[in-house]
Structure formats: structure tokens, C-alpha cells
Amino acid sequence: MRFLKADKLFDGTRFLPSGSVLAVHDDGCIEDVLNETALEKGKIEILEGILTPGFVNTHCHLELSHLKDKIPPNQGLVDFALGVIKTRNNLPETEQLNAMQLADKAMYEAGIVLVGDISNTTLSSAIKANSAIFYHTFVELIGLNPTRANDVLANGEKIIAAFHQNHLSASLAPHAPYSTSLELIKRIGMYNAALQAPGSIHNQEAEAENTFLQDKSGGFNRLYQTLDIPIDWFHPKAKTSFQYYSKVLHRDVLQILVHNTFMNAEDIRLAERLNTCICFCPGANLYIEEKLPAFELFNADTFCIGTDSLASNHQLDVLAELNIILETGNFSDEQGLKAITSNGARALKQENRFGRFEKHKRPGVNLIQKENDQFRFCRRLF
Ligand SMILES: [Zn+2]
């Protein structure tokens, strides 16, 4: 057993009173939080900085790790998406796997213990099965044409089965409202409800998404033209993207809404009434659209954070993402640290093990410091 005391102890929800000591078994299992007066002084390890539970990266794409520095920044979402489609299969599988392996290691070394990872194939499954990080995989489905919903779903079920065979946690996820039919979003919700697993969808990442679903105007037409996908049959008529598809979200499935850069106050209030969780990926938003969400409009106590992929970010480091968010001045340190610990664990439905310093949990233990208003990762203790 180790007894750890730092300048501050953050338990996943709040800073504990000074004098609090974390008791951890050698296997990383939390025994208790004690007061230092209850312990012999010589037994306590004194550390400089803040102790926190291991970090949660709620949104990542391990599969795109080989695209680091391959797609130029600041082009907007349509050209970014075209860039990913054009380049993602340019490298042989072995090199793609090497890049994933390095990304997995980098996340581990940045204090990340739990990842919500979007996958289109089974390629990442061996790495996930052998990783020290716990992954929940969202098998991502794309299909705007509702007549294809059955085929797309059947293919998704095959991919999920491969992850489950490797004893990995997995559920289905629609890619985005501009690329997935309402029929398919509905069917995915039913599938995830039966699994009692969370869902995830890229939400309002670009203004073009709202205009496409309002009256089919804007940049996404160019995306479909370039990809030679006919969409003349598609006639949406909605106020915003979220108001367009939220009506088909399954009420029993916790839905992670990712990005939310172009969500308005009405969308946000609607999302709060539904079974959703807001996930910010500010590094990717700056990389692709050069714009951040209107943080001041969101509930400061319930959001979580993701890194998105190495195609759209310089690193997979949730603490760096948190620093970007805290710089805007909308959230306290406590709210920010909660986002990358207990809120992330809740979003991925892994609260039994991760996110908090509570008896019998094995959430990982990180030591961080704060310098010049920025959090800095020091090391993992467990
Ligand atoms: Zn993403």
C-alpha cells in the first residue's frame, strides 16, 4: 500500500481538503482517502503538484494516426474530409499499425487510461486488446441514403463482432447527420440500447452542416459532387442540424455529441433535455475550422473532452486540450479536471472503474502541476 499526499488532491469531482492522503494498493486499486493525522508521518509520500485520477480521452480516431501532418490545417471541414478520404489508404497496413501503436503509447505516457475511439475497420483491435489503456470502440457507420440502412448496419455488426471477440468494449455510431440517414441513426440507437452501450456522433462541427440540413445549401454539396455520390433525392428542411436529427435519437442511449462548434443556445437547451453528453475537441476545431464552440452557453459541470485524431491535431493529449479550453476563461480548474476524469468516464459508461478516487476503483493516478496558468503533466504513479 502507498500513501500519497500532494499540494492538492483532486478526486475526479472536486479538490479535497488539505491534509487528504490517497491510499492505493500496489495494483492501483484505491483503498481510501484518509486524513494525514490518521497516519504515521514516515509512511506518507509527499509530492509536488496535484494528484488526479487517470485521464479520459472521450473522442479519438486511432485509425487515422498515420495521417499526422498529412492534411494541411485551416481548410475547413469539407476539404479536410476530402483530404482524409484521399490519403487514408496511401500507406500499407503495417505502417498504419505502427502509427497506431505509437499513438497508443503516447496517450499512455500522457496519463490517459480510458479512450472512446472511433473505428471504421477492425484494424485497431489487436493494438487495443494488448494496450494498457482501456478502449471503448465506436464502430462508425456512414450512409446518407436510407435504402442502404440494412446493408450498412449488417456490415457494422460484423465489425463489432470482431471487437467483441477480442473481449473489447464496442458499440455503433453514426458518423454525422450530413452523412447518415435518420433511418440509420434510429437503427443504430436500437442496437446500442440492446447493448446498453453509449453512442457518439460528430455534431455541428461546421456551419456548412447546418445549412446543408436547413435547405441543402453550402459546402457539403461540393463534398458529394467530388465523391460522385448522387443526393438529388435528399430534401432536408430543418432549423439546425441538431434539431433535424435529435428527434430520432434513442432516449435510453447516452449520446456523446462531439465538437458542437456551431450549436446555438436553442440546440444546447434541447440537448440538455435529452440523454446526451457534450464533448469538446478544441485542438481539432482550431486545426480544421479555426473556430471554438461558444463555451459560455454550455453547462460547465457536465462536458467532457476528446483529442480527435492525429489527422486533425498535433498530439493526443487531453490535458493540452483542457489548457485551450481553460484559456477562454469560461471554466474553473475543478470543472476542467472533472471533464477529463469523471465526466469522460460517465460518457463512456465506465464509471465502475474509472474517473474517481473511490474505494475498489482502479482509475489510474496522475501527478500534474500548474505553471503560468497551464496544466503540465508530470508522471503516472499508477
Ligand atoms: Zn472525430
Side-chain angles (χ1 to χ4, degrees):
M1 183 91 78
R2 287 170 73 179
F3 299 96
L4 308 172
K5 178 174 183 279
D7 300 318
K8 283 181 166 184
L9 178 58
F10 179 77
D11 75 347
T13 61
R14 64 195 176 102
F15 288 111
L16 297 180
S18 66
S20 298
V21 177
L22 184 67
V24 193
H25 290 278
D26 293 341
D27 64 355
C29 190
I30 303 297
E31 173 58 30
D32 209 351
V33 176
L34 307 161
N35 191 286
E36 61 184 337
T37 53
L39 291 158
E40 258 176 63
K41 258 204 170 131
K43 281 192 167 172
I44 303 173
E45 290 177 53
I46 310 283
L47 301 152
E48 239 174 79
I50 305 165
L51 284 171
T52 75
F55 300 145
V56 182
N57 181 359
T58 308
H59 183 78
C60 184
H61 300 245
L62 204 61
E63 266 177 14
L64 303 181
S65 299
H66 62 294
L67 298 184
K68 184 168 167 30
D69 299 325
K70 294 285 193 297
I71 300 167
N74 314 333
Q75 297 189 101
L77 184 59
V78 171
D79 286 292
F80 175 80
L82 288 169
V84 170
I85 293 163
K86 265 188 248 163
T87 54
R88 70 177 295 169
N89 294 319
N90 280 359
L91 284 180
E93 259 183 32
T94 48
E95 285 184 51
Q96 295 185 32
L97 286 166
N98 284 344
M100 283 188 232
Q101 193 79 65
L102 288 174
D104 172 72
K105 185 168 177 272
M107 281 199 277
Y108 180 83
E109 286 168 357
I112 292 170
V113 293
L114 170 64
V115 174
D117 189 64
I118 307 287
S119 297
N120 301 98
T121 71
T122 58
L123 202 56
S124 62
S125 67
I127 290 170
K128 287 170 178 169
N130 292 310
S131 176
I133 293 174
F134 186 99
Y135 283 89
H136 176 85
T137 299
F138 293 103
V139 172
E140 182 178 75
L141 303 184
I142 295 179
L144 187 60
N145 194 329
T147 61
R148 290 196 57 236
N150 272 344
D151 293 346
V152 175
L153 200 73
N155 187 44
E157 286 178 21
K158 267 190 218 157
I159 298 174
I160 285 245
F163 280 100
H164 284 167
Q165 234 164 36
N166 267 334
H167 308 290
L168 292 161
S169 174
S171 56
L172 293 177
H175 166 252
Y178 58 83
S179 64
T180 319
S181 66
L182 294 178
E183 177 62 23
L184 186 53
I185 294 175
K186 205 192 271 181
R187 301 278 297 276
I188 290 172
M190 287 158 66
Y191 185 89
N192 288 341
L195 279 181
Q196 296 187 308
S200 165
I201 186 166
H202 294 96
N203 178 62
Q204 289 165 294
E205 187 176 358
E207 187 59 60
E209 176 179 323
N210 281 327
T211 60
F212 187 71
L213 296 167
Q214 273 155 8
D215 56 9
K216 215 180 138 186
S217 64
F220 281 112
N221 286 291
R222 187 162 59 82
L223 177 75
Y224 290 110
Q225 264 160 29
T226 313
L227 298 173
D228 207 16
I229 297 172
I231 51 160
D232 40 298
W233 53 271
F234 186 60
H235 299 292
K237 212 176 178 184
K239 265 166 100 178
T240 64
S241 170
F242 186 66
Q243 292 176 45
Y244 162 76
Y245 76 87
S246 54
K247 57 182 182 286
V248 299
L249 291 176
H250 199 294
R251 297 297 181 261
D252 299 337
V253 176
L254 179 62
Q255 195 72 29
I256 303 170
L257 306 178
V258 182
H259 291 302
N260 314 304
T261 326
F262 293 84
M263 245 184 150
N264 66 28
E266 199 183 330
D267 296 335
I268 294 166
R269 297 293 87 82
L270 174 60
E272 284 168 356
R273 290 199 298 274
L274 301 172
N275 193 7
T276 65
C277 182
I278 293 290
C279 177
F280 295 128
C281 301
N285 300 149
L286 293 174
Y287 193 101
I288 297 173
E289 289 279 338
E290 295 180 273
K291 186 178 168 15
L292 291 173
F295 293 125
E296 70 280 4
L297 299 178
F298 291 86
N299 185 328
D301 287 305
T302 53
F303 71 97
C304 55
I305 296 178
T307 58
D308 216 356
S309 71
L310 281 175
S312 60
N313 207 340
H314 305 287
Q315 71 271 310
L316 305 179
D317 177 352
V318 277
L319 202 58
E321 301 295 311
L322 175 57
N323 282 330
I324 298 173
I325 289 176
L326 290 179
E327 255 176 36
T328 66
N330 290 290
F331 307 111
S332 68
D333 286 358
E334 216 163 47
Q335 288 164 332
L337 290 173
K338 200 174 153 189
I340 59 170
T341 54
S342 60
N343 288 356
R346 187 184 85 84
L348 297 171
K349 294 189 92 167
Q350 297 297 334
E351 292 161 295
N352 283 346
R353 173 169 166 193
F354 295 105
R356 293 178 196 219
F357 290 145
E358 279 178 355
K359 197 173 171 71
H360 303 315
K361 290 188 177 169
R362 284 184 57 207
V365 182
N366 288 342
L367 183 69
I368 60 173
Q369 288 179 347
K370 197 165 190 203
E371 285 166 10
N372 306 321
D373 277 341
Q374 296 271 292
F375 282 119
R376 189 174 66 80
F377 182 72
C378 300
R379 64 192 158 99
R380 295 175 73 116
L381 288 130
F382 286 96

